[in-house]
Amino acid sequence: MMEALLNLIVNALDAVSDNGSVQIILTKSNEQFVVSIIDDGCGIAPKQLLTIFHPFTTTKPDGTGLGLPVAKRIIEGHGGHIRVSSAPNQGATFTFLLPCSFSSDKK
Ligand SMILES: Nc1ncnc2c1ncn2[C@@H]1O[C@H](COP(=O)(O)OP(=O)(O)OP(=O)(O)O)[C@@H](O)[C@H]1O
Ligand SMILES: [Mg+2]
């Protein structure tokens, strides 16, 4: 789960400029933990949003395009799910939900 969270945080930090911000908000709602990673960076085009969790989707010269698919697999492996909302130049919000029965020692 730390790997999933780290992939999302690194992506957010890559997307923001020098004075950008990345917020991480944790809430609990309807027996679920809700984790949102919110950045005010470059945002994501609608077309790219359609395939963003597919392996090898990258816009970075040295990116593998595996960070998001790996994060999704980890989160879904814990019974959770992940979604994204973004628009170009309006930042991005990745939100994942985990059941409160989530156990950090599950792989
Ligand atoms: N917060 C974000 N803001 C803008 N674009 C994003 C954000 N997160 C992901 N992306 C886009 O999604 C693509 C895929 O992300 P992913 O983490 O899967 O791979 P990567 O970051 O390119 O490579 P790696 O994770 O191996 O460094 C990125 O290249 C980037 O274009
Ligand atoms: Mg990444």
Side-chain angles (χ1 to χ4, degrees), residues 32 72 74-82 97-99:
Q32 293 188 309
K72 185 175 194 286
I74 292 169
I75 290 160
E76 291 179 351
H78 287 286
H81 62 272
I82 182 168
L97 294 92
L98 290 171

Side-chain angles (χ1 to χ4, degrees), residues 7-16 22 37-45 48-49 51-71 84 86-87 91-94:
N7 285 345
L8 296 169
I9 293 170
V10 169
N11 280 349
L13 291 172
D14 283 345
V16 297
V22 176
I37 297 94
I38 304 165
D39 70 65
D40 64 358
C42 58
I44 303 162
Q48 193 191 353
L49 278 177
T51 57
I52 200 154
F53 291 105
H54 295 183
F56 312 117
T57 300
T58 185
T59 56
K60 302 174 191 174
D62 56 349
T64 66
L66 289 173
L68 287 178
V70 165
V84 54
S86 182
T93 298
F94 284 81

